[in-house]
Amino acid sequence: MDTETADVADHDVTTITCVCGNTVSKDGLIQANAQGIPVHSGDAPAPPELAEWPADEDLYTLCPSCGRVYRDAVIEETGTAPVAFRVDVKAAPIAEAIRVHWNLST
């Protein structure tokens, strides 16, 4: 099975164009943990739906449109963005975490 790979420019995770066509500026991409759950980066404690910011900075980028997840360290190291895994963005707990993330972002 071939690995799906997103487009990315210059080892920069903010330039990912997901396999589905989503980008940071289109429908948004979300920083997530190793389980694909969006992380909280604020000073206040994380809402229960969001994961705490990983202490080891092992971050991933989640496409909330299709559920593809990319590992930031691979992108920064290699300049490529292979899909690490997929999550179901319409089911708990991911769907609730995405909703809370967007509510905090507005």
Side-chain angles (χ1 to χ4, degrees):
M1 181 173 154
D2 290 333
T3 301
E4 294 180 299
T5 304
D7 291 330
V8 63
D10 299 323
H11 303 256
D12 183 355
V13 298
T14 65
T15 66
I16 295 171
T17 299
C18 182
V19 173
C20 76
N22 190 17
T23 64
V24 169
S25 62
K26 186 176 178 187
D27 293 326
L29 299 172
I30 302 171
Q31 289 186 304
N33 68 9
Q35 290 75 43
I37 299 172
V39 296
H40 178 64
S41 62
D43 293 329
E49 297 85 359
L50 299 180
E52 293 287 342
W53 192 271
D56 59 3
E57 298 286 325
D58 190 20
L59 292 171
Y60 291 74
T61 297
L62 164 67
C63 176
S65 296
C66 69
R68 288 177 177 89
V69 181
Y70 305 91
R71 187 164 187 203
D72 290 9
V74 171
I75 296 165
E76 292 165 352
E77 188 175 309
T78 68
T80 63
V83 175
F85 58 93
R86 292 180 82 159
V87 296
D88 185 348
V89 296
K90 295 185 184 333
I94 305 296
E96 288 85 0
I98 291 170
R99 180 186 51 76
V100 168
H101 168 81
W102 291 130
N103 286 343
L104 290 174
S105 297
T106 57

